[in-house]
C-alpha cells in the first residue's frame, strides 16, 4: 500500500496513529516488549531478593530502576520511529529490520533524549526553588507568619510553589524538543543540531502537539489501568490469604503489569510524534513533493548507450 503524504488535521493524525498501530500490532508490541524484558528481569530479581543482596541501599535500586526504564523506553522509541518511517515511505519493515535501522542512532537517542527531558526539569526545579524562596520571603516580610512556626510555613510555601511551577516551566522546552527522537533517528546530527531542528519544526505548532500528547497520554493511561487492574485485584486477595508474601508478590505483580501495559500501549505516543514530524516536514518543507520528485527520478530509465551516441 502506497502512503500519500499530505498535511493532516489533528483528528486525521490521531486516526492515522491508530490505523498504523492496529494494522501492525504485533510488530509494534514486539519492538516495545524486547527492551522491557530487561526492566522486568530487574524487578523480578528484586522480588526474589537477589538484587537487594547485591544493592542493599533502596535509593540506589530506585535510581537503577528509573535509569533502566528510561533507557529501555528510549531504545524502543528509536526502533519504533524507524518502523513508522518505513511505513510512511511505503517500505517493508519488521521488528529485526527496525532495530537494525535504528542501531546506529541508539546511543545518540539515549544522550539527546536524556538532555531534552532532564535539562528542562533541572532548570525548572532551580527556578521553582528560587521563586518559592522569594515568595516565602515576601510572605514573611508581611508578618503573615506571626504566631505560627515560620519554618513550617516556609517549607509549605516552597514545596507548593515549586511543585506548581515545575511542570509549567519545563513544558515550554519539552514541547519545543518533543521531536528530538524522530529527528535523531531519521536525520542524524549532534545535540545542538537536533535540538534546533526540533524547535524549528515545532515552532507555532506546540499547542497542537500538546493537545495530541494529552489525548494519547490519557488513552495510554486508561488502557494501562485496564490491563493492570486484574493483577492488582489478584494482589489484594493474596494480601488477605498470604500476608507474609505480600511484599515480594507486590513487586512481581507490579512488574508484570507494567511490562504488559508498556509493551501494549507504549508505541502509541512514539507513532503519533513520528507522524507529527512528517506532517511538519510536509507543511514547512514540501517533503511530499520532494519525495514524489525523487521517486519519479528513480523510476525514469536512463538513456541507452546507442541513443546517447
Amino acid at each position: 500500500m502506497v502512503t500519500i503524504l499530505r498535511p493532516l488535521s489533528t483528528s486525521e493524525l490521531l486516526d492515522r496513529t491508530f490505523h498504523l498501530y492496529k494494522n501492525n500490532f504485533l510488530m509494534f508490541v514486539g519492538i516495545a516488549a524486547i527492551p522491557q524484558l530487561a526492566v522486568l528481569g530487574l524487578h523480578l530479581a528484586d522480588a526474589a531478593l537477589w538484587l537487594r543482596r547485591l544493592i542493599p541501599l533502596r535509593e540506589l535500586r530506585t535510581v537503577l530502576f528509573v535509569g533502566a526504564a528510561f533507557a529501555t523506553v528510549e531504545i524502543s522509541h528509536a526502533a519504533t520511529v524507524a518502523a513508522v518511517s518505513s511505513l510512511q515511505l511505503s517500505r517493508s519493515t519488521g521488528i529485526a529490520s527496525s532495530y537494525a535501522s535504528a542501531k546506529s542512532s541508539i546511543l545518540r537517542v539515549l544522550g539527546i533524549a536524556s538532555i531534552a527531558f532532564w535539562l528542562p526539569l533541572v532548570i525548572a526545579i532551580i527556578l521553582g526553588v528560587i521563586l518559592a524562596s522569594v515568595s516565602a520571603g515576601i510572605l514573611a516580610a508581611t508578618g503573615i507568619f506571626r504566631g505560627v512556626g515560620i519554618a513550617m510555613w516556609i517549607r509549605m510555601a516552597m514545596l507548593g510553589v515549586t511543585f506548581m511551577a515545575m511542570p509549567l516551566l519545563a513544558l515550554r522546552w519539552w514541547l519545543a524538543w518533543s521531536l528530538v527522537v524522530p529527528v535523531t533517528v531519521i536525520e542524524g546530527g549532534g545535540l545542538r543540531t537536533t535540538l534546533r531542528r526540533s524547535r524549528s519544526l515545532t515552532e507555532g505548532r506546540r499547542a497542537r502537539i500538546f493537545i495530541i500528547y494529552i489525548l494519547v497520554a490519557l488513552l495510554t493511561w486508561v488502557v494501562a489501568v485496564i490491563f493492570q487492574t486484574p493483577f492488582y485485584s489478584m494482589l489484594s486477595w493474596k494480601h488477605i490469604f498470604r500476608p507474609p508474601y505480600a511484599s515480594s508478590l507486590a513487586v512481581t505483580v507490579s512488574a508484570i503489569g507494567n511490562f504488559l501495559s508498556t509493551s501494549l500501549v507504549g508505541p502509541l505516543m512514539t507513532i503519533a510524534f513520528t507522524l507529527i514530524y512528517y506532517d511538519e516536514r510536509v507543511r514547512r518543507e514540501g517533503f511530499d513533493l520532494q519525495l514524489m520528485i525523487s521517486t519519479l527520478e528513480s523510476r525514469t530509465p536512463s538513456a541507452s548507450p546507442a541513443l546517447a551516441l
Side-chain angles (χ1 to χ4, degrees):
M1 179 181 177
V2 178
T3 301
I4 300 176
L5 295 179
R6 61 180 179 82
L8 301 174
S9 65
T10 300
S11 60
E12 288 174 328
L13 196 146
L14 290 172
D15 181 69
R16 176 68 177 159
T17 298
F18 296 120
H19 175 77
L20 285 179
Y21 179 72
K22 181 185 69 175
N23 288 358
N24 303 275
F25 176 76
L26 292 178
M27 180 186 69
F28 284 124
V29 171
I31 289 173
I34 290 173
Q36 286 300 314
L37 289 172
V39 178
L40 177 63
L42 280 176
H43 283 288
L44 293 180
D46 186 45
L49 303 181
W50 299 335
L51 191 62
R52 300 184 189 188
R53 296 191 190 100
L54 184 64
I55 309 176
L57 194 61
R58 183 178 179 180
E59 289 75 12
L60 288 179
R61 294 201 307 274
T62 301
V63 171
L64 175 63
F65 292 142
V66 172
F70 184 85
T72 52
V73 166
E74 294 305 328
I75 290 171
S76 64
H77 282 180
T80 302
V81 167
V84 175
S85 180
S86 295
L87 293 172
Q88 279 292 92
L89 302 180
S90 304
R91 300 169 183 165
S92 60
T93 187
I95 297 174
S97 61
S98 297
Y99 273 104
S101 299
K103 180 176 65 176
S104 61
S105 60
I106 283 179
L107 289 179
R108 283 186 293 111
V109 165
L110 290 174
I112 294 173
S114 298
I115 292 173
F117 177 78
W118 293 108
L119 181 60
L121 188 61
V122 170
I123 294 174
I125 291 174
I126 294 173
L127 293 177
V129 170
I130 294 173
L131 181 60
S133 302
V134 172
S135 302
I138 294 173
L139 290 174
T142 62
I144 197 172
F145 291 141
R146 290 175 184 171
V148 183
I150 187 169
M152 182 192 72
W153 277 103
I154 291 176
R155 284 196 297 269
M156 289 176 61
M158 291 182 65
L159 288 173
V161 174
T162 301
F163 280 106
M164 285 189 294
M166 274 194 319
L168 295 177
L169 291 171
L171 186 61
R172 177 177 177 273
W173 287 289
W174 283 337
L175 290 175
W177 296 339
S178 58
L179 301 182
V180 291
V181 176
V183 170
T184 303
V185 174
I186 298 170
E187 300 183 18
L191 173 63
R192 294 181 64 183
T193 302
T194 301
L195 295 180
R196 288 176 178 174
R197 176 67 168 156
S198 177
R199 187 166 60 245
S200 173
L201 288 173
T202 58
E203 185 69 35
R205 312 289 292 177
R206 290 165 196 169
R208 180 193 188 214
I209 292 173
F210 180 68
I211 291 171
I212 292 172
Y213 176 83
I214 292 297
L215 292 175
V216 177
L218 284 174
L219 177 65
T220 301
W221 178 79
V222 169
V223 174
V225 168
I226 291 173
F227 276 97
Q228 291 189 28
T229 296
F231 290 92
Y232 286 104
S233 298
M234 178 187 69
L235 177 62
S236 64
W237 285 105
K238 292 293 184 179
H239 268 292
I240 295 172
F241 292 109
R242 302 181 70 185
Y245 299 94
S247 179
S248 295
L249 183 64
V251 174
T252 302
V253 168
S254 176
I256 294 174
N258 182 70
F259 171 78
L260 289 176
S261 61
T262 303
S263 300
L264 287 170
V265 298
L268 281 173
M269 190 69 72
T270 310
I271 295 171
F273 275 74
T274 307
L275 293 179
I276 292 172
Y277 164 81
Y278 275 109
D279 186 63
E280 293 304 323
R281 287 196 64 183
V282 168
R283 291 174 183 272
R284 297 171 187 270
E285 303 169 354
F287 179 72
D288 52 336
L289 298 178
Q290 297 175 26
L291 184 63
M292 186 184 303
I293 292 171
S294 63
T295 302
L296 290 174
E297 289 177 348
S298 64
R299 290 178 180 176
T300 302
S302 58
S304 63
L307 292 176
L309 293 172

